[in-house]
Structure formats: C-alpha cells, structure tokens
Amino acid sequence: MKEIRSGVPDLEEELGRPGPALVAEAADWPGDVVVLGAGGKTGAGIASMARRALDAAGREDVQVLAVSRWTDARGRAGLEKLGVRPVVADLSDPAAVDALPDAAVVIHLVGAKFGTASAPEQAWMTNTVLPAFVARRYRGARVVALSTGPVTGGSRESDEPRPVGDYAVTCRGREQVFTHAARTEDTPVALIRLNYAVEPRYGVLADLARTLLAGNPVDLGAGAVNVVWQRYANEVVLRTVGHAAAPEPFVLNLTGPETAGVRALATRLAHHLDVVPEFTGEEPATSLLADATLCHTLFGYPDRTLGQLVELQARWITEGGELWDKPTKFERRDGSF
C-alpha cells in the first residue's frame, strides 16, 4: 500500500493507479472508452485509470474520451497530460449527446443529488431523462452506469427496490432506462450501486473529521454506514466493463466489507484528531447498508481497510490538506438532499 504524503498530486496519482487485473482486462476492451461526467468528483480518477490501464496493456490504439462541461481548467489539463482526450458537451442537450464521438465502452457517471429536495425537476432531468439520450446514442456499446445504494429496499442486489425521495426514485429511473436499453437494444449494461466512496478531500470521513474539529456534535441518525476507498471503487467500476450484460443488466453493490457504526467511527477519528467527540440524536434500530459480498468475491477486498482510511483522513486534515465543500449528508434517511 502506497503512502500518500505529498498532497493532491500524490493523491490523484494513487486514485488513478490501475491494478494488474484491470490492466489484463483492459487489453480486451473492444474499442474507445467514453467517460460521461468526467468533471465530477470521481471522473478524473476513473478516466486517468482507464488511460493508464490501456497504456500498460499496450492498447495505445484505444482512446479515452472525458466528457464534461469542463469548467475546471486544471482538471482538464491534468487529464490531457495523461493522454485522455477532453470533450466539452452539455449532456442535458440531446443534440450535444448525439454529436458525441463513437465509443465501444461507456462509463456513465452523470447524476444529480444535492439540491434536489428544493429542485426535484433537476433530479428527474439529470437522472432519468438524460440517460435516455445516452442509451439512444450508445446503443450496443458496453455501458457501466453508476447508481446508488438507496434505490433498494434491502442490502442485497436481489432485494426488491423501494427508493425513498426524489433522488433515490430518479436513480432507480436511471437504472430502468438502461435496463430498457439492455432488453430492447441488446445493449450490455452494468448497474453499480455505490455506497459512500471516500478519499481525504471528500466523503463520510471528511464530513466527520470537520464536524469533530469544529467542536460540533456528530449526528447519530444514520446509525451505521458503509464506506469504501475511492481508488478501489474506481477500479471496480472499470473492471465491471467485462460483466455488462443483456437482456438483463448486471447489478452490483459496491462498498467496503465493514459495517461502521457512526459513534464508533467518530470516536476512532476523534482519537487520531486528539479531540473529545460529542453526539446528538439517537441511534436507530436499522441502518441503510449494502451487502457487497458479490463485489468482493469478483474483485477482491479494497486495498485500504477502514482503519487505514480513518488514519489517512486524520493525517490529511491535520496537515492542512485540501477539502471539498461537498458534504455527503450521509445522516439523512428521508431521501431529502
């Protein structure tokens, strides 16, 4: 396991590092890879990892295309330096989607979560209508679409979906749109239900660390959470390309193996941060958790344990590492974001 000591460049290099299994699989990818929503939180890591895996596999003939509005000039330049080709497009415009370059592999990362409680129409447009544009443009390509754990009413992939709130309902709508493409167009699809990927700039651990350092009480309303190292999540998304299926999509829960009680997690973080934790609210009898047994059976366990992630988070924030102002709102259980 590589230590992350030199700030953002070192972190980003690690988040885009492909493992040997991914390199071997990338050698068999059928053609160009398009990453939709590459300017978001996870897009740069996934796009750079895809490029590096292809290079290591000797597949310089395959392009990686990173699609976004690209308001982040630094992020765009970083990907270009690695050999990723940025494509500027507004994916809410069907004409812009139709004009996108051809690709044999599609990684769909586009989604709307925060602010959807006050503007639910944005969630419906981004999470449900926009995927229909993509499914039409890339019919027949291998599609891996990011979804979310809250779409389901249980912890396993086979449990009956019972989404709550506009965010979860529209994410379930995204799944159904791509399922329709799998059944009617024979488009191979993989649906990835991701629960709380973390890295030092963003995620449940960053939220808890900031709360503790500010001297504010930690909300126990979530009870327990699943978290997973972002590098591992990036790699699983790309390795799922080979599992995309039709007419029934491949569905996968993606998270870590541990069930982390919020109180215990905050207490552990507080120890590393040398603060005394305070708490508010009551711990519920149940929590929104995912069983990722299938993921770990297929792709192995994450390369960083929960304890290592806690230590990394504490060190990062105490050393003044960059943080993103993007709270996860993991404590919400009513589906309102």
Side-chain angles (χ1 to χ4, degrees):
M1 181 183 66
K2 178 182 176 180
E3 288 298 318
I4 298 171
R5 290 291 186 183
S6 61
V8 170
D10 199 18
L11 173 63
E12 291 182 342
E13 193 280 334
E14 175 66 6
L15 293 177
R17 176 181 60 81
L22 175 59
V23 171
E25 292 168 15
D28 295 326
W29 285 350
D32 290 350
V33 179
V34 63
V35 181
L36 304 177
K41 296 185 298 293
T42 63
I46 288 174
S48 63
M49 184 179 285
R51 181 67 269 161
R52 290 168 64 182
L54 287 162
D55 288 346
R59 292 296 306 276
E60 290 82 1
D61 58 305
V62 177
Q63 291 191 95
V64 176
L65 309 155
V67 180
S68 172
R69 290 189 179 93
W70 286 119
T71 57
D72 177 10
R74 175 187 170 276
R76 174 176 175 170
L79 287 177
E80 283 183 301
K81 187 176 180 179
L82 290 171
V84 175
R85 175 185 160 195
V87 177
V88 179
D90 178 356
L91 296 176
S92 66
D93 178 358
V97 175
D98 288 344
L100 289 174
D102 292 341
V105 174
V106 178
I107 310 297
H108 184 94
L109 307 177
V110 187
K113 179 178 181 179
F114 304 114
T116 55
S118 59
E121 72 283 355
Q122 185 60 49
W124 285 93
M125 178 64 202
T126 303
N127 296 341
T128 307
V129 178
L130 188 155
F133 305 155
V134 172
R136 180 186 62 194
R137 171 64 184 89
Y138 289 109
R139 59 171 60 91
R142 304 190 73 83
V143 176
V144 178
L146 211 61
S147 187
T148 179
V151 302
T152 185
S155 64
R156 295 169 297 184
E157 290 91 346
S158 58
D159 290 331
E160 183 67 23
R162 294 196 301 272
V164 176
D166 281 294
Y167 170 64
V169 169
T170 56
C171 288
R172 177 58 178 161
R174 180 199 297 130
E175 291 189 357
Q176 295 290 58
V177 167
F178 284 119
T179 297
H180 180 266
R183 292 177 179 173
T184 63
E185 301 288 350
D186 204 33
T187 297
V189 170
L191 303 171
I192 310 300
R193 293 172 177 168
L194 175 62
N195 274 19
Y196 293 120
V198 300
E199 54 116 309
R201 296 170 295 184
Y202 163 84
V204 171
L205 299 181
D207 289 351
L208 287 173
R210 285 203 275 200
T211 297
L212 290 164
L213 288 175
N216 296 325
V218 172
D219 189 340
L220 297 175
V225 293
N226 297 126
V227 300
V228 66
W229 171 227
Q230 184 71 66
R231 195 213 71 82
Y232 173 83
N234 292 348
E235 182 157 283
V236 168
V237 167
L238 291 171
R239 292 190 64 191
T240 309
V241 168
H243 293 267
E248 293 304 315
F250 174 71
V251 180
L252 185 74
N253 288 341
L254 170 51
T255 193
E258 304 95 343
T259 296
V262 173
R263 182 188 294 274
L265 201 55
T267 301
R268 196 168 185 174
L269 257 175
H271 170 74
H272 288 289
L273 296 171
D274 196 25
V275 298
V276 177
E278 296 182 10
F279 300 96
T280 186
E282 297 183 0
E283 294 165 289
T286 61
S287 296
L288 301 175
L289 300 169
D291 180 346
T293 299
L294 176 60
C295 178
H296 304 143
T297 299
L298 292 173
F299 306 115
Y301 285 101
D303 47 320
R304 288 180 189 265
T305 66
L306 180 59
Q308 290 165 340
L309 292 174
V310 168
E311 292 175 8
L312 173 61
Q313 183 64 66
R315 185 172 68 247
W316 182 271
I317 199 168
T318 55
E319 292 178 356
E322 176 185 332
L323 294 171
W324 291 341
D325 187 21
K326 298 179 179 180
T328 61
K329 301 186 180 180
F330 72 91
E331 64 277 3
R332 301 299 299 261
R333 295 190 58 173
D334 60 0
S336 179
F337 298 100

